[in-house]
Amino acid sequence: MAASTIAKPSTTTKDPQHKTSRSSALAARLHNPGLYAGASLGLASTCLTGDPLLYTALGTTSVAAGWSALGMYPGPWRWLPGQGEPWQWLCRRSMSGYRRRVRRMRRHLAVPASSPTGSGLYVVGDGWRRHPHRPQLVRAASAASQRARCTLLTQAWQHTLPDWGSAWWRPYSLGEMTLRTSPLLALPAVGAIGLPWWGSMLAVSAGAGWGARMWRLPARDAGPVAPLKGVDWYHARWAEWIACERGILPASKLVSLQLDDDKLTAIIVSTTTKAAAGVGQDTVSIAFEVPPRAVNIYRPDDMPANRAKLTVRLRALTSAELDMDDLAAVWDEYSPYQGSKLLNPEATEFGRRFHLLMPRKGSSVADVQPRAIAQALDLPGEDAVDRLHLRMVDARRLEVNEMSVNPLQDGVALDLGSLTMDEQGYITVGSDIYGRPAKWRLLKFDRKKRGLSGRPSASSVHSFGSGTTGAGKTSLEEDLQIAQRLNGFVSWLADGKGGAGYASWLNELDWLLKSFYGAMLMGQAANAVSEYRFAEQMKMQWLDEEGYTETGRSFFVADDPFKPMVCTWDEFNEMILKDPQADHVKPLLGAVSSTGRLSRAAGIAARIWVQIPNLDAIGSSASANAVRDMLQSGNIALFRTARADVDIMSLGSRTPEFRLAPLPERFPNGSETGGLCYIADGKAQYTQSRAMFHSNPARVARQFPLCTLSSAEADAAVAAGPAGLAYLRREEYRHLDAADEETFLRELVAKEQERSGKGRKVIDTKPAASALTAEADTDVDDDDLDDIVPPSRSELVWRAVDGGARRNRQIAEVTDLKPTNVANATARLERLGKLAKIQKDWHVAEPLDTESISA
């Protein structure tokens, strides 16, 4: 039987007798023919007398003499008890016979191949005898024949005869053989002496002990003993070959090293700037004297770069015994995840596919890394890791696809039918690497609550994307803009590149901003629209799951009466980080934060595209933290350089479960990888996908109606502040560049603030006092009239402010109204121009027209 190709470290084994009972050990000793032969000889010597005893002594003497003669010279009889192994002797004799043949051959070859005859002619030998390399060829053939013979004898002995072997090559001396055979001479002589009964018992016991010992001599040999390779040996080899000054990883060390029967596990720790995972399989293979495929080095996601896990299989099948095309067998032999199994390998159109079943305890699906799989299966090629794509099936199963050709390299054509929103609010923006539709969610529906129109309640879904310039973020955004226009969404967009990325979309979006200042106003206007929608929805009725009608709707219903809306900030990192001290930064973060936290129930979603490698770079304020939380809640797309980004992207619970392979700039066929990205599935699993592409998406979107805000929403935005006015006058600066747009907007905001603030006339600034005590004595008739027709809340609030109350708390104390009613009344009077707020104090701006004021 061929020996193992990998040395197995010796382990301390316990004597089987320690595991058995005393009676079992005694029974095992009785299964020895030599015990009974020796006891019989001693018993015969004590019982026999006369001629039988003489004949017995002569027989044992002959046996002792023959035994001694055979033992003094090695031979095939060494397989007998107390001797050695005949096959080893035969191999030795064959080797000596081979040497004799070689010497004889050399003498024959030294004789000339031709000799003169009596007639003076030469008799020339055949070509073989005159061959110039004949001695070497004959020698090689003879050596191969002798080796084959020895191998055949060795295998025959190992399979058919006991493997007794102990110093078979050493001739035993006469004294040694005399000591071995002396009981055969001494025991028969005991009978002639005439011992008492106890002496006879001693003779029988001595014979039994001698026979048992001779039968077990030599002891069975379990085969060649492997050299001692314990934990210290592996530490020493690592220090000698890898951690030395000129090694691959100087000053490194192995920690948590554990040795099992067939596997070594350890953690590589690098003490320099070199990554621990940089140690190659071949280096460890040479150091530990194992095949390269038995070595597996990988780094889990939660492990720093100066550490890596190392697993080495110490018992491996030979190449002849292991079919490398049998993936399941190879995985069982070299799997770095103990207890895992490879199931259902099959060929696919682009390569092959199989499943990994992880154990119930131990390694989980999150621990599996593509590099570890490529090493265990010995996949060829420099891009072996990039060809593997992992997809989690359930808590214990992974689907692994090895694709020699990326099916996305030919691109994905635009399909308008796929951009139509389904019943769950999804659209298809492309195709993933498995040939399935790449989904993107625009709305989340809840059919347990409905509007009076019968449509279900809906909430908007925020979105986030990252990637370097040229990775294809704009391609995906243009697909989404077409889908929004097709499905009746209001689209607002702020471009951090000055509008260069969306030059063809100037007339195809409801509102397109090109300056950072405009991006801030867009966020503020979105907040004003959401506040108006909330106020209106509270007055509406709705239907519950059982069909009952309720008043006060707290959710959004598409087109009942408002349209869903999406606000997009492209290059958001430029807006925040280009000049962190600019006057637009804090208001922009606050507006985006409010949109993310409050506007989903108003049907308004936020979508942000960035290039930064870490979301922590946008700041540490409360608004920045809210923006980060918002970006983790919905759709996520990670474009080129995603692998380097995801490790530190601060995605929280949405961090990918598997390390994402880097996306190249070009496919193997030379085509660009624009639009290639990883899209999250709603949890922490990311699938490589490619967005649909069209050369002129703006023209495609033009065939669908352009949705805008209703006049009521626009008026509410205008009443809330200058941002609404910037929306109403958007056509005046639509075709200006970023600098001119910012100048226009700043002048517009300044004029509006001047008109609504300092330009307003303040009628009265009386000190704070009770409105009831401030009434004129001539107004008695009005007091009597108030008893018949009570004044409205707005009138009471206006009178309180006119009487000197400046804050909502003072107004509530004077009028005995609830604080919420006071807040609503003051806001309403401010919109109507009856009150003005100056430095947080309320002042009367215009006289109150009671006929135009209702409760």
Side-chain angles (χ1 to χ4, degrees):
M1 183 180 297
S4 175
T5 59
I6 297 181
K8 177 180 178 180
S10 61
T11 55
T12 304
T13 58
K14 296 182 179 180
D15 190 350
Q17 293 181 1
H18 291 269
K19 300 180 181 180
T20 59
S21 62
R22 187 180 299 272
S23 58
S24 301
L26 181 60
R29 293 180 182 179
L30 295 178
H31 293 287
N32 190 330
L35 174 68
Y36 302 105
S40 300
L41 179 60
L43 184 62
S45 301
T46 57
C47 296
L48 297 179
T49 57
D51 292 339
L53 181 60
L54 177 61
Y55 296 147
T56 301
L58 293 177
T60 56
T61 302
S62 301
V63 172
W67 186 5
S68 300
L70 291 175
M72 294 176 64
Y73 187 77
W77 45 84
R78 284 291 176 90
W79 66 272
L80 296 172
Q83 302 293 332
E85 297 176 343
W87 70 269
Q88 292 177 327
W89 174 83
L90 291 175
C91 289
R92 182 180 176 86
R93 299 300 298 174
S94 299
M95 293 170 62
S96 60
Y98 164 70
R99 288 194 293 269
R100 287 196 298 272
R101 291 192 189 91
V102 170
R103 288 194 297 269
R104 189 163 53 250
M105 186 185 305
R106 288 173 179 170
R107 289 197 299 270
H108 288 310
L109 293 174
V111 178
S114 59
S115 58
T117 59
S119 59
L121 300 175
Y122 283 87
V123 178
V124 181
D126 56 2
W128 165 246
R129 292 187 176 275
R130 296 181 59 86
H131 195 281
H133 302 293
R134 179 172 176 265
Q136 293 87 337
L137 295 174
V138 172
R139 196 175 299 116
S142 301
S145 175
Q146 296 300 327
R147 282 194 297 268
R149 178 184 176 188
C150 293
T151 302
L152 179 62
L153 292 173
T154 300
Q155 293 178 350
W157 171 260
Q158 289 180 339
H159 287 85
T160 58
L161 297 177
D163 53 350
W164 298 337
S166 178
W168 57 268
W169 62 89
R170 180 174 61 84
Y172 301 144
S173 63
L174 179 61
E176 185 177 1
M177 294 308 301
T178 300
L179 292 176
R180 288 190 177 189
T181 59
S182 57
L184 289 176
L185 303 176
L187 289 177
V190 172
I193 298 176
L195 295 177
W197 65 270
W198 52 269
S200 301
M201 294 296 296
L202 289 177
V204 174
S205 299
W210 171 81
R213 182 178 182 278
M214 288 299 101
W215 189 266
R216 292 195 304 266
L217 189 67
R220 291 179 177 270
D221 187 12
V225 179
L228 180 61
K229 294 186 179 180
V231 173
D232 295 337
W233 185 86
Y234 288 102
H235 279 297
R237 295 286 291 185
W238 183 271
E240 178 183 358
W241 289 86
I242 300 175
C244 59
E245 183 178 357
R246 296 186 177 181
I248 299 296
L249 202 61
S252 61
K253 56 185 178 181
L254 293 179
V255 298
S256 303
L257 193 149
Q258 296 181 358
L259 270 178
D260 298 330
D261 291 340
D262 60 349
K263 188 172 72 170
L264 177 146
T265 59
I267 296 178
I268 305 172
V269 179
S270 173
T271 58
T272 62
T273 56
K274 293 185 177 180
V279 181
Q281 289 178 281
D282 294 339
T283 305
V284 180
S285 170
I286 295 172
F288 290 170
E289 299 178 355
V290 296
R293 63 176 181 271
V295 179
N296 202 316
I297 302 171
Y298 63 99
R299 181 177 67 86
D301 288 336
D302 57 349
M303 185 173 287
N306 68 330
R307 291 172 177 259
K309 285 191 175 183
L310 168 68
T311 59
V312 181
R313 294 298 299 267
L314 302 175
R315 179 197 58 80
L317 299 175
T318 62
S319 300
E321 297 172 324
L322 181 62
D323 184 6
M324 297 303 295
D325 294 331
D326 187 356
L327 294 182
V330 176
W331 183 262
D332 290 341
E333 190 65 26
Y334 300 111
S335 169
Y337 311 109
Q338 188 172 8
S340 62
K341 295 182 179 297
L342 190 149
L343 307 173
N344 307 325
E346 59 180 347
T348 62
E349 180 182 358
F350 303 100
R352 53 185 173 179
R353 176 174 56 231
F354 54 87
H355 289 80
L356 293 181
L357 177 63
M358 304 306 293
R360 295 181 183 271
K361 296 176 61 177
S363 301
S364 65
V365 292
D367 298 328
V368 180
Q369 300 297 334
R371 182 173 297 277
I373 298 175
Q375 288 182 352
L377 298 180
D378 196 19
L379 301 180
E382 297 180 355
D383 60 342
V385 178
D386 298 337
R387 297 199 309 266
L388 295 178
H389 301 274
L390 277 59
R391 185 175 67 89
M392 185 177 69
V393 178
D394 54 34
R396 293 182 58 201
R397 291 167 179 82
L398 279 173
E399 181 183 287
V400 182
N401 283 266
E402 181 191 5
M403 297 185 178
S404 56
V405 177
N406 195 318
L408 301 176
Q409 66 182 10
D410 296 330
V412 182
L414 182 66
D415 181 13
L416 292 178
S418 301
L419 294 177
T420 302
M421 189 168 54
D422 61 15
E423 295 180 352
Q424 295 182 344
Y426 284 100
I427 61 172
T428 299
V429 295
S431 176
D432 67 12
I433 198 168
Y434 307 112
R436 303 173 307 179
K439 296 291 187 178
W440 194 275
R441 198 165 199 174
L442 297 180
L443 292 175
K444 289 183 179 179
F445 293 109
D446 182 5
R447 305 191 181 279
K448 294 182 179 180
K449 296 183 293 185
R450 295 169 295 156
L452 294 181
S453 62
R455 295 188 179 93
S457 69
S459 61
S460 297
V461 182
H462 301 314
S463 305
F464 161 70
S466 69
T468 186
T469 300
K473 301 190 300 296
T474 305
S475 297
L476 178 55
E477 176 61 28
E478 289 175 334
D479 291 342
L480 295 174
Q481 291 296 340
I482 297 174
Q484 289 167 194
R485 191 154 173 176
L486 171 63
N487 293 282
F489 281 65
V490 178
S491 298
W492 289 1
L493 188 145
D495 186 10
K497 292 185 292 186
Y502 301 91
S504 60
W505 288 85
L506 288 177
N507 298 317
E508 311 307 329
L509 298 175
D510 182 34
W511 196 11
L512 176 61
L513 283 308
K514 300 175 283 294
S515 61
F516 297 167
Y517 193 78
M520 176 199 71
L521 294 178
M522 187 182 80
Q524 294 176 345
N527 290 330
V529 172
S530 65
E531 291 176 0
Y532 171 76
R533 289 186 175 186
F534 283 137
E536 293 298 318
Q537 288 176 173
M538 291 176 61
K539 306 173 185 177
M540 297 179 182
Q541 292 182 325
W542 59 283
L543 300 174
D544 65 7
E545 187 177 8
E546 298 179 358
Y548 289 95
T549 302
E550 300 290 340
T551 302
R553 202 178 76 188
S554 61
F555 51 86
F556 174 77
V557 177
D559 297 320
D560 186 12
F562 310 116
K563 292 186 177 297
M565 179 175 167
V566 178
C567 299
T568 303
W569 285 269
D570 197 359
E571 305 296 341
F572 184 72
N573 54 294
E574 283 292 314
M575 302 175 185
I576 300 299
L577 303 178
K578 187 173 183 179
D579 185 5
Q581 304 302 324
D583 59 351
H584 73 275
V585 173
K586 289 185 178 179
L588 174 59
L589 280 175
V592 176
S593 171
S594 298
T595 303
R597 289 183 289 109
L598 306 176
S599 299
R600 292 176 64 248
I604 302 177
R607 184 161 60 242
I608 291 180
W609 301 100
V610 300
Q611 291 190 33
I612 54 178
N614 192 335
L615 290 179
D616 293 336
I618 65 177
S620 58
S621 63
S623 297
N625 295 334
V627 171
R628 272 191 295 272
D629 295 340
M630 174 194 72
L631 300 183
Q632 300 171 14
S633 63
N635 304 299
I636 297 180
L638 304 174
F639 285 80
R640 192 167 63 239
T641 68
R643 178 182 181 181
D645 292 346
V646 165
D647 290 343
I648 54 174
M649 183 55 79
S650 302
L651 290 179
S653 61
R654 302 294 298 278
T655 300
E657 289 195 356
F658 308 108
R659 185 181 299 275
L660 303 181
L663 298 175
E665 293 187 12
R666 294 181 178 273
F667 288 108
N669 63 353
S671 59
E672 297 284 346
T673 59
L676 188 66
C677 62
Y678 290 98
I679 296 181
D681 65 344
K683 297 181 181 179
Q685 181 162 281
Y686 290 70
T687 305
Q688 190 175 127
S689 308
R690 194 170 190 184
M692 295 187 292
F693 176 78
H694 193 277
S695 59
N696 191 358
R699 179 182 60 80
V700 177
R702 196 175 300 136
Q703 59 184 302
F704 304 108
L706 177 63
C707 297
T708 62
L709 293 181
S710 64
S711 58
E713 292 175 296
D715 292 341
V718 171
L725 186 60
Y727 171 75
L728 284 181
R729 299 180 62 177
R730 62 192 182 279
E731 296 298 334
E732 300 180 27
Y733 56 87
R734 184 181 291 273
H735 295 282
L736 298 180
D737 60 16
D740 294 340
E741 176 189 284
E742 182 172 350
T743 302
F744 178 90
L745 291 175
R746 287 185 180 274
E747 293 178 355
L748 179 65
V749 171
K751 291 180 181 179
E752 177 64 16
Q753 288 178 344
E754 181 179 359
R755 186 189 69 82
S756 61
K758 295 181 180 180
R760 288 189 175 182
K761 181 180 179 181
V762 178
I763 295 178
D764 192 9
T765 57
K766 295 181 182 179
S770 174
L772 297 178
T773 61
E775 292 289 342
D777 295 337
T778 58
D779 293 335
V780 177
D781 295 338
D782 292 340
D783 293 338
D784 297 336
L785 184 61
D786 290 343
D787 294 336
I788 301 174
V789 182
S792 65
R793 294 172 185 171
S794 299
E795 187 176 355
L796 291 174
V797 170
W798 188 91
R799 288 180 180 180
V801 175
D802 186 47
R806 296 290 174 257
R807 301 294 177 93
N808 286 357
R809 183 174 181 181
Q810 295 175 346
I811 299 173
E813 292 175 353
V814 170
T815 59
D816 292 333
L817 296 176
K818 294 182 179 179
T820 54
N821 296 334
V822 172
N824 293 333
T826 53
R828 186 166 181 266
L829 291 172
E830 184 185 22
R831 287 198 303 270
L832 295 175
K834 304 303 180 182
L835 295 181
K837 196 170 188 179
I838 302 175
Q839 295 181 353
K840 299 184 179 181
D841 290 339
W842 291 109
H843 298 273
V844 174
E846 293 181 0
L848 185 64
D849 184 7
T850 56
E851 294 181 357
S852 62
I853 300 297
S854 62

